[in-house]
Amino acid sequence: MPATSIKILLIEDNLAEARLLQEYLKQANGNQFSLVHVKRLGEALNRLKEDCFDIILLDLTLPDSQGLESLAPLNSHAPSLPIVVLTNTNDEKLAIEAVRQGAQDYIVKRQLNVDLLVRSIRYAIERSQVMEALREANEALEIRVQERTAELVKAKEVSQMKSEFVSMLSHDFRNPLTTILLSTGFLQNHDDKLTKETKLTHFLRMRSAIKNMDQLLNEVLLIGKADLGKLQYQPTQLALEPFCRQLVEELQLSTGEKHFTIVFTCQGELGEALWDENLLRHILGNLLANAIKYSPEDETVWFELIGQEKTVIFRIQDRGIGIPLEDQKRLFQPFNRARNVSTIPGNGLGLAIVKKCVEAHGGQISVQSEAGVGTTFTVILPLASATVKSD
């Protein structure tokens, strides 16, 4: 932290102890602390209205306040300001309760020295900044959810389908939001008792949950753009065969511990042609990922690329759980999933996105499937300003 950047509000009625704390701060390397001392809680609340501070050092025995009852009014006046509690009692229950009520740290005065005081101040400020950043991130994420949901609602007629759409979207946000709330609450309530490894685990969980929500929002936005006719087709020169091989390699690296085999074959000598790489990635990535997800362990997925004079055919076949006939009619509708997926995770947006991207290419998609036997998806896309190599 830069020098002279930390402004401290000390609430301590004992002048000798206040002078000792001030002397400790003067001894700190860089002397980067400035201290304002008040003797009563009421004085502190008035100073918080008039001035800005980086941290509060709070004695628990004051003429106008006793024990932890000082925390509530301080948190009310300055909710984001970190508080370090100072006390003469080495009471673990009191320490835990102080942290639960909003304090960032707890120091026993007779154990105090320069290093402990400085370290506690710095750590308290850093922890408070992390929690504030998480709170702001959650608020921003909530606003983003509301904004993007509003865009979708405006794009649809008032109908039963819209109601079901919003309901499903809210349901899919609930799990990652719950993960974020539980982890932030646990960190706030037990921060001083947690190891660095445990804290890191919770931060990684929150990051993963936010990433999942962001991915879902992006998928919903793509569906919304397609419904409004704003899904743009932006073709560039692309060699299909190496693109498909690279996509297979990426999938094999990203599926974790699940063992599977993708057999990729190519018929016809395909040269470079005009394709929208982003839309193709949505189409083939979703279909291949689904084939893997709904297939048993150690199963094989077949991926065929067939070049013809005016079209290219992509065929993806699996021997997974299959799709019941009655579910195939609604297969490409948003948030629609077959009834036999059981506990396999998913939000029902993948195939809706695939169909929109196929249509943006001016192509067609079809499915052949039988429950318990397997599924074959066939995508036929027209060649645009492309050359097919011939022998």
Side-chain angles (χ1 to χ4, degrees):
M1 295 180 181
T4 67
S5 64
I6 301 178
K7 190 171 183 179
I8 302 169
L9 176 61
L10 172 62
I11 311 172
E12 170 62 77
D13 66 325
N14 188 308
L15 291 177
E17 291 182 348
R19 291 194 190 99
L20 179 62
L21 288 169
Q22 191 165 18
E23 187 61 32
Y24 281 154
L25 294 174
K26 288 180 180 179
Q27 296 174 20
N29 291 334
N31 191 24
Q32 69 271 46
F33 303 98
S34 62
L35 186 141
V36 174
H37 173 221
V38 297
K39 299 178 183 179
R40 297 173 181 269
L41 177 63
E43 294 177 58
L45 298 177
N46 289 331
R47 289 305 297 260
L48 287 172
K49 295 177 183 178
E50 301 168 358
D51 206 347
C52 295
F53 296 90
D54 297 300
I55 191 170
I56 296 172
L57 299 181
L58 171 65
D59 179 42
L60 290 185
T61 305
L62 299 171
D64 57 344
S65 179
Q66 291 293 316
L68 298 179
E69 65 185 31
S70 301
L71 288 172
L74 289 172
N75 284 325
S76 176
H77 279 70
S80 62
L81 198 61
I83 300 173
V84 175
V85 168
L86 305 171
T87 181
N88 291 313
T89 305
N90 189 6
D91 186 336
E92 184 175 349
K93 291 184 178 180
L94 181 63
I96 293 174
E97 183 61 23
V99 172
R100 193 187 70 80
Q101 293 189 27
Q104 289 292 337
D105 206 352
Y106 178 99
I107 299 179
V108 179
K109 291 181 180 179
R110 64 175 180 272
Q111 298 174 353
L112 195 61
N113 56 48
V114 176
D115 292 337
L116 177 61
L117 178 60
V118 171
R119 184 168 62 249
S120 179
I121 290 173
R122 286 176 175 168
Y123 285 1
I125 292 174
E126 289 174 2
R127 284 194 295 268
S128 178
Q129 289 173 343
V130 168
M131 297 305 298
E132 181 65 15
L134 285 172
R135 185 189 64 78
E136 291 176 357
N138 284 339
E139 288 182 356
L141 192 58
E142 189 173 327
I143 292 172
R144 190 178 178 193
V145 170
Q146 293 172 353
E147 290 174 346
R148 292 200 175 182
T149 303
E151 290 175 3
L152 291 172
V153 171
K154 290 177 183 178
K156 293 183 175 290
E157 297 178 354
V158 179
S159 63
Q160 183 63 31
M161 182 178 177
K162 181 191 73 174
S163 300
E164 293 176 358
F165 188 92
V166 174
S167 176
M168 289 294 295
L169 183 61
S170 301
H171 176 269
D172 285 331
F173 280 135
R174 190 171 296 119
N175 286 340
L177 276 175
T178 299
T179 297
I180 294 170
L181 291 173
L182 288 176
S183 291
T184 53
F186 188 80
L187 287 169
Q188 182 177 15
N189 294 337
H190 305 286
D191 182 79
D192 61 328
K193 299 296 182 181
L194 300 177
T195 64
K196 290 183 178 179
E197 292 76 12
T198 302
K199 292 177 185 178
L200 179 61
T201 298
H202 282 279
F203 281 122
L204 290 176
R205 286 176 182 171
M206 287 186 285
R207 181 177 180 180
S208 177
I210 292 172
K211 182 178 179 181
N212 290 339
M213 293 180 69
D214 185 65
Q215 179 181 351
L216 179 58
L217 284 169
N218 288 331
E219 290 177 345
V220 170
L221 182 60
L222 191 150
I223 292 288
K225 285 182 176 179
D227 288 341
L228 291 171
K230 295 182 179 180
L231 185 60
Q232 296 182 350
Y233 172 65
Q234 300 175 320
T236 57
Q237 287 289 331
L238 181 68
L240 273 185
E241 182 177 355
F243 171 78
C244 291
R245 291 190 184 277
Q246 180 184 358
L247 191 61
V248 169
E249 292 175 1
E250 291 173 0
L251 277 169
Q252 289 175 327
L253 291 174
S254 65
T255 53
E257 298 179 355
K258 185 169 185 177
H259 301 289
F260 65 95
T261 301
I262 298 180
V263 176
F264 174 70
T265 59
C266 181
Q267 301 177 31
E269 294 294 328
L270 286 166
E272 286 195 350
L274 290 175
W275 302 100
D276 187 314
E277 182 176 348
N278 183 49
L279 297 184
L280 271 182
R281 190 173 290 275
H282 279 300
I283 295 169
L284 300 177
N286 271 298
L287 292 178
L288 286 168
N290 278 353
I292 294 166
K293 180 165 65 172
Y294 296 112
S295 295
E297 190 83 7
D298 297 319
E299 190 53 85
T300 299
V301 172
W302 289 269
F303 179 17
E304 295 180 76
L305 172 61
I306 305 170
Q308 298 182 335
E309 184 178 356
K310 296 183 179 181
T311 61
V312 172
I313 299 173
F314 305 85
R315 184 173 291 121
I316 296 171
Q317 181 179 6
D318 66 65
R319 291 189 296 212
I321 63 174
I323 306 167
L325 184 61
E326 59 270 25
D327 291 322
Q328 294 179 24
K329 296 178 182 179
R330 298 179 290 109
L331 196 59
F332 298 103
Q333 294 178 7
F335 292 111
N336 180 71
R337 303 187 74 205
R339 63 196 68 188
N340 63 335
V341 296
S342 185
T343 59
I344 301 173
N347 55 41
L349 285 175
L351 290 178
I353 289 173
V354 168
K355 186 170 178 61
K356 297 294 185 182
C357 294
V358 168
E359 290 172 347
H361 269 94
Q364 298 176 340
I365 182 170
S366 60
V367 59
Q368 290 180 317
S369 185
E370 184 179 347
V373 177
T375 301
T376 300
F377 281 96
T378 302
V379 175
I380 303 175
L381 301 182
L383 286 166
S385 301
T387 301
V388 180
K389 294 181 181 179
S390 58
D391 295 334

